[in-house]
Amino acid sequence: MVSLAPACRLSARLTVRQLRRDATVRGFRASAKCLAAHNFTMPALSPTMTEGNIASWNVKEGDSFAAGDVLLEIETDKASMDVEAQDDGIMAKITQGDGSKGIKVGTRIGVIAEPGDDLNSLEVPAEDIPAKSPTKVEAPEPAPSTPSQAPKPFRSPKKQTYPLLPSVQHLLHEHGLDQSAIDKITPTGPNNRLLKGDVLAYLGSVSSTYPTELSARISKLSHLDLSNIKLALPPAPKATKQAEAASEPVVEDLEIAVPVSMKAVIEVQKRIQSTLGVFMPLSTFIARATDVANDSLPRSKSYKPTADELFNQVLGLDGAASTNGYRGSFLPQITALPELTPALNPSLVPSKKADIIDILTGNAKPSKPSFSAKPSAGISTAVNVFSVKAPKGDEKRAEVFLERVKAVLESEPGRLVL
Amino acid sequence: MFSRALRTGRAAPLRRGAFLKSALVKRTVTTDAASAHADRDAVPEEDDKPFQIHLSDESFETYELDPPPYTLETTKKELKQMYYEMVSVRRMEMAADRLYKEKKIRGFCHLSTGQEAVAVGIEHSLTPEDDLITAYRCHGFAMMRGGTVKSIIGELLGRRDGIAHGKGGSMHMFAKGFYGGNGIVGAQVPVGAGLAFAHKYNGNKNTTVALYGDGASNQGQVFEAFNMAKLWNLPVLFGCENNKYGMGTAANRSSALTDYYKRGQYIPGLKVNGMDVLAVKAAVQHGKAHTTAGLGPMVLEYVTYRYGGHSMSDPGTTYRTREEIQRMRSTQDPIAGLKQKLLEWNITTEDELKAIDKDARTFVDKDVAEAEAMAFPDATPQILYEDIYVRGSEPQFVRGRTPDENYYY
């Protein structure tokens, strides 16, 4: 629009010059010299409309129209509306043609003349630039001072505009002070109100500075003191953090081990082979026992509840969930005890032989081979050590898990495969 | 058995009545603005010499009332004055329309373009001691009751020197003998009855004109006011300005009985051609004589038409056709109608009327320009809290929203 305006003005000026020349050439006017051509500006068709597009003009330049005739159709972002003429007139000029987009309210879109005006002698009025915004035009008012600013130490006595407080009135009456005395007392109350303390100070019953101190104190306490709030420090560079992390002692996983006899398993395995003719590898038994044992373990101490769980806790729904327990994901590592497993496949024997005491006390190094290694019928007899690594806080879970594995494999392994 | 007999016995006359009514509908009050006639020879030379005008037979319809005289005594001067005033009101409303579209007037703005004859006609049959109260379409009435164009436009613009110091806006304008400008639909009617009660109580020979729209005529409080007014025979002229549409709903889609002058039931009614300023004057003159004679209230219905939408946010063409508006505007316009009569009766010349038009226009334009130059009220508590009470009768203080907002006079 800004770029359009000078162009419009230029074209208007050129037209006027042309019109003037025509008039001088013709040398006469058909009607009285017109005075009252006026700008037709973009109307605001709703209180929220700021700009609009011109869909189409229903009149042409030079057409006369009557009050109530539709002059043009305007599209806004909400609707398209017809603009009616309020008065009879002639459309002297159209400055924004059909299809003009985004015309601000108040911008000139045409010039209207009175009925009977001679268009040739028409003075096109200058476009009044619409005020950018009414709020900007007004001088910014100084911010009103806050009513409860800290009282100055010595305020001059001020005429009381408020009715006196009952306590003040009583005190004045009691001491026989009259109206002229009131004006001499320095008020310390809000909005310069006279308080009982002011009168007492004036009378000398309390220290003369006391009311001022008190009002300063009240004014201080009436605001939340945010002055000593500091911005949070920016996060420290990553490198130093990593260094710190490295220097920190790593929480070591604990290893928990339980000796489990595979005797019952092997018996069941043999029985199945003899009756059904199907070979059930040991790994199947162990995998199923693991699966069963992982079910509904007690919750880890380091477990952080999720938002949903916290919400349920608030609603008192957490009891129901906790009865089911929490599924674990332990995977036991199996070590055959060397003295008890003479037939053990050498590949599965750990390179360094672990002492049972070490194992039981948790000092043993984790053994490399896992039960997921190719199962061999070789681990057939006697006791294997099942061990799991548990992070700190999860020992209880690991213990429960291993107890269950042991119970399942030793007492009724048949149920695992049936 | 008995009840059934009763029911059939009652149904028959009702049906007959309905039939009769449909036959009667054809003969109704005209909305022709130029229906009066006068003898050209009877029109005197002098401006001040009274002469008689004969109103059309179709100017009135009555309910339980003898029709007012169909002759009206007036002078050339008064007719010209009426014309000037109607043109001024229209010019002012057009200026308000322009200012609203320039976003200088904000908020509510209900214009009465097309209804000027009601405001002007009523004013010409009242004295300054009579009271008038109306709804929110009040600019014309405020002007007729003594408000200047400057103060009314200034009020619309929210300026300090507006008629209500910029605090009332379009709906709340007051002047001596003019009690607003009321925003609540129908609420002004009981207030009008109260104003009439004051006249009766004080023994004044004055009347109160309480106006409402066809939309408001279905409000319960209107009927409550009717009841008390008739009970106490108050000198009040209830007036329904029937412009055919209550907001965007046609009268026959909202009202079970569209004969608003019969709504008083036990109050005599008079339906008037509200497009003819002379008929309005004759009717209100008659009504005033009726009420001040102690005969109690009267319900008038001014059949009129508004050219614009209900308010500035209503384009006004979604519930009626543009052709209907244009037909009313071109054939029934109150200003054009009076103009035609003035020329026909040889009261003025075309040039004189043009001069009056121009005069009214320059007067309004000058006042609007002055109003635009007026200052806004200061944003101080003193200005905010003034005029809550009659000056000098204020209490010690007025409560604010919080104790520290309390204002002490």
Side-chain angles (χ1 to χ4, degrees):
Chain A
M1 282 328 298
V2 177
S3 59
L4 256 175
C8 291
R9 227 173 293 142
L10 182 66
S11 68
R13 219 178 294 140
L14 284 174
T15 323
V16 171
R17 209 174 294 155
Q18 181 65 37
L19 288 172
R20 280 206 196 111
R21 204 160 52 224
D22 286 356
T24 42
V25 168
R26 282 164 69 211
F28 68 90
R29 263 195 291 271
S31 69
K33 187 176 182 301
C34 111
L35 299 162
H38 50 265
N39 285 326
F40 183 58
T41 58
M42 187 71 172
L45 298 173
S46 73
T48 51
M49 175 177 164
T50 53
E51 59 174 39
N53 310 329
I54 295 176
S56 62
W57 283 89
N58 288 19
V59 290
K60 293 193 290 292
E61 284 190 17
D63 282 1
S64 4
F65 51 84
D69 285 351
V70 176
L71 292 182
L72 74 159
E73 198 182 325
I74 286 179
E75 285 169 351
T76 66
D77 47 350
K78 289 181 192 132
S80 74
M81 276 170 282
D82 297 332
V83 178
E84 291 174 14
Q86 288 301 308
D87 203 1
D88 300 354
I90 305 173
M91 183 52 67
K93 195 162 170 51
I94 291 172
T95 57
Q96 303 280 344
D98 291 2
S100 306
K101 301 266 182 231
I103 303 166
K104 292 265 181 302
V105 167
T107 314
R108 176 168 76 175
I109 53 177
V111 178
I112 289 177
E114 296 294 294
D117 277 348
D118 181 9
L119 285 190
N120 289 329
S121 64
L122 195 71
E123 294 269 351
V124 178
E127 183 178 12
D128 19 307
I129 311 294
K132 291 287 168 281
S133 106
T135 48
K136 273 185 197 165
V137 174
E138 285 167 38
E141 281 180 27
S145 56
T146 49
S148 52
Q149 57 198 166
K152 290 168 200 120
F154 292 105
R155 266 191 292 198
S156 58
K158 207 164 175 276
K159 182 127 181 63
Q160 287 295 298
T161 49
Y162 303 97
L164 295 175
L165 294 168
S167 59
V168 173
Q169 228 155 14
H170 175 72
L171 206 58
L172 292 172
H173 187 69
E174 205 173 45
H175 290 88
L177 295 173
D178 62 352
Q179 203 63 34
S180 60
I182 294 173
D183 296 340
K184 285 184 208 140
I185 305 173
T186 312
T188 60
N191 295 326
N192 285 322
R193 251 186 124 140
L194 200 62
L195 303 180
K196 185 180 174 185
D198 302 332
V199 183
L200 290 175
Y202 177 77
L203 292 169
S205 315
V206 297
S207 132
S208 61
T209 56
Y210 182 72
T212 324
E213 284 164 14
L214 188 67
S215 79
R217 187 175 144 75
I218 288 170
S219 136
K220 183 169 172 284
L221 291 177
S222 65
H223 293 278
L224 195 58
D225 185 13
L226 302 176
S227 59
N228 56 2
I229 285 188
K230 293 185 188 90
L231 286 177
L233 288 171
K238 246 193 170 149
T240 60
K241 202 169 186 185
Q242 275 174 345
E244 272 174 34
S247 66
E248 269 176 20
V250 182
V251 179
E252 279 175 25
D253 288 353
L254 294 172
E255 190 163 317
I256 293 160
V258 167
V260 178
S261 158
M262 300 298 275
K263 220 179 199 168
V265 178
I266 305 242
E267 266 170 32
V268 170
Q269 193 184 29
K270 276 182 186 157
R271 214 164 56 225
I272 289 172
Q273 196 160 21
S274 61
T275 53
L276 300 173
V278 179
F279 177 69
M280 237 353 131
L282 278 183
S283 62
T284 310
F285 285 93
I286 295 168
R288 292 194 183 170
T290 310
D291 185 45
V292 168
N294 262 327
D295 238 2
S296 66
L297 290 172
R299 175 174 268 178
S300 150
K301 274 179 197 160
S302 58
Y303 177 76
K304 292 217 170 54
T306 63
D308 278 353
E309 284 165 343
L310 286 173
F311 186 67
N312 283 342
Q313 222 164 35
V314 169
L315 297 180
L317 299 174
D318 53 330
S322 69
T323 54
N324 296 331
Y326 296 87
R327 194 169 164 80
S329 54
F330 289 111
L331 214 55
Q333 291 191 325
I334 302 155
T335 322
L337 288 180
E339 61 269 38
L340 295 176
T341 53
L344 203 66
N345 190 324
S347 69
L348 284 176
V349 175
S351 49
K352 190 189 168 195
K353 287 172 184 173
D355 190 82
I356 181 70
I357 304 300
D358 286 348
I359 291 163
L360 289 175
T361 52
N363 291 335
K365 287 271 187 311
S367 54
K368 294 294 154 212
S370 85
F371 85 100
S372 59
K374 207 171 185 172
S376 93
I379 15 167
S380 50
T381 56
V383 179
N384 293 314
V385 170
F386 281 56
S387 66
V388 289
K389 271 191 188 172
K392 205 165 181 178
D394 269 9
E395 311 93 336
K396 181 82 185 150
R397 274 159 71 82
E399 271 169 32
V400 171
F401 170 74
L402 287 178
E403 287 302 319
R404 281 203 195 140
V405 171
K406 184 181 165 79
V408 168
L409 288 180
E410 284 183 353
S411 59
E412 36 187 353
R415 289 181 64 178
L416 290 173
V417 287
L418 287 179
Chain B
M1 284 312 283
F2 182 61
S3 63
R4 194 186 298 161
L6 244 182
R7 230 178 291 145
T8 49
R10 272 172 122 170
L14 248 180
R15 222 175 289 132
R16 208 161 53 227
F19 188 70
L20 261 174
K21 209 173 104 189
S22 67
L24 268 173
V25 160
K26 289 206 175 82
R27 214 202 114 261
T28 182
V29 158
T30 175
T31 47
D32 187 357
S35 57
H37 56 95
D39 258 339
R40 274 183 78 144
D41 304 332
V43 177
E45 283 293 311
E46 300 88 347
D47 262 3
D48 293 337
K49 195 171 172 191
F51 64 99
Q52 297 233 317
I53 286 170
H54 303 281
L55 300 170
S56 155
D57 290 346
E58 294 174 352
S59 291
F60 308 118
E61 250 180 86
T62 60
Y63 171 72
E64 314 247 313
L65 180 78
D66 289 331
Y70 283 86
T71 55
L72 176 71
E73 199 155 273
T74 182
T75 62
K76 283 169 76 172
K77 193 182 166 192
E78 189 188 29
L79 291 174
K80 282 187 232 170
Q81 180 66 19
M82 281 177 169
Y83 181 79
Y84 176 78
E85 284 167 357
M86 284 205 285
V87 173
S88 303
V89 172
R90 167 127 350 147
R91 280 280 154 206
M92 185 178 71
E93 298 287 56
M94 279 162 56
D97 178 276
R98 178 175 62 80
L99 291 170
Y100 198 94
K101 287 181 177 163
E102 288 172 12
K103 287 190 144 186
K104 288 176 180 163
I105 295 173
R106 311 306 303 261
F108 296 106
C109 190
H110 300 79
L111 302 182
S112 64
T113 327
Q115 303 183 195
E116 296 89 352
V118 179
V120 174
I122 290 176
E123 181 58 30
H124 275 266
S125 43
L126 298 183
T127 61
E129 289 74 38
D130 294 321
D131 291 333
L132 191 142
I133 186 165
T134 184
Y136 39 78
R137 207 179 296 286
C138 65
H139 305 172
F141 293 101
M143 184 172 162
M144 295 318 298
R145 289 260 88 187
T148 60
V149 175
K150 188 163 73 174
S151 66
I152 291 167
I153 295 288
E155 185 60 39
L156 294 176
L157 293 166
R159 307 302 164 112
R160 177 68 179 154
D161 290 334
I163 199 165
H165 301 305
K167 296 174 194 168
S170 164
M171 289 187 176
H172 307 107
M173 297 182 175
F174 307 91
K176 182 115 183 69
F178 177 59
Y179 292 83
N182 288 269
I184 310 293
V185 174
Q188 73 278 12
V189 184
V191 180
L195 291 168
F197 180 66
H199 284 315
K200 190 182 169 75
Y201 185 86
N202 291 329
N204 301 339
K205 284 284 168 208
N206 286 320
T207 193
T208 299
V209 176
L211 293 158
Y212 51 93
D214 51 303
S217 64
N218 299 320
Q219 284 275 318
Q221 52 192 336
V222 173
F223 296 94
E224 293 173 35
F226 284 175
N227 176 50
M228 296 315 290
K230 184 62 186 174
L231 182 69
W232 292 335
N233 271 344
L234 301 179
V236 54
L237 293 174
F238 298 108
C240 174
E241 271 186 277
N242 178 7
N243 60 19
K244 299 202 169 75
Y245 299 93
M247 293 189 84
T249 309
N252 59 356
R253 293 184 63 210
S254 71
S255 301
L257 177 69
T258 50
D259 293 329
Y260 295 104
Y261 65 109
K262 293 181 182 167
R263 284 290 185 96
Q265 193 181 358
Y266 37 77
I267 304 176
L270 177 60
K271 187 177 184 179
V272 196
N273 173 8
M275 296 305 254
D276 183 359
V277 65
L278 302 168
V280 172
K281 178 176 156 76
V284 178
Q285 232 171 22
H286 180 69
K288 190 184 170 186
H290 176 94
T291 52
T292 49
L295 298 173
M298 192 191 274
V299 177
L300 286 95
E301 177 185 347
Y302 308 94
V303 185
T304 180
Y305 198 83
R306 72 171 140 77
Y307 300 153
H310 168 75
S311 71
M312 289 307 296
S313 53
D314 170 22
T317 48
T318 47
Y319 47 87
R320 53 184 187 178
T321 59
R322 205 175 283 285
E323 289 70 42
E324 179 187 315
I325 306 169
Q326 278 301 46
R327 195 182 66 239
M328 291 302 283
R329 210 191 252 276
S330 54
T331 63
Q332 325 261 310
D333 187 59
I335 296 176
L338 186 62
K339 186 177 185 174
Q340 187 193 331
K341 290 287 120 182
L342 290 180
L343 294 173
E344 200 177 290
W345 298 336
N346 219 0
I347 290 170
T348 57
T349 60
E350 185 94 41
D351 288 343
E352 197 180 345
L353 283 177
K354 276 228 172 90
I356 293 178
D357 278 346
K358 202 173 169 202
D359 196 20
R361 183 171 178 169
T362 48
F363 162 67
V364 170
D365 285 352
K366 180 178 73 69
D367 267 19
V368 168
E370 281 174 27
E372 279 195 76
M374 286 200 264
F376 285 102
D378 296 332
T380 61
Q382 196 193 350
I383 284 180
L384 181 65
Y385 285 97
E386 78 183 352
D387 290 328
I388 296 177
Y389 294 90
V390 171
R391 304 224 169 148
S393 72
E394 295 100 343
Q396 271 194 320
F397 70 98
V398 167
R399 280 199 313 176
R401 291 169 302 181
T402 53
D404 57 316
E405 276 186 2
N406 285 3
Y407 182 73
Y408 294 86
Y409 286 106

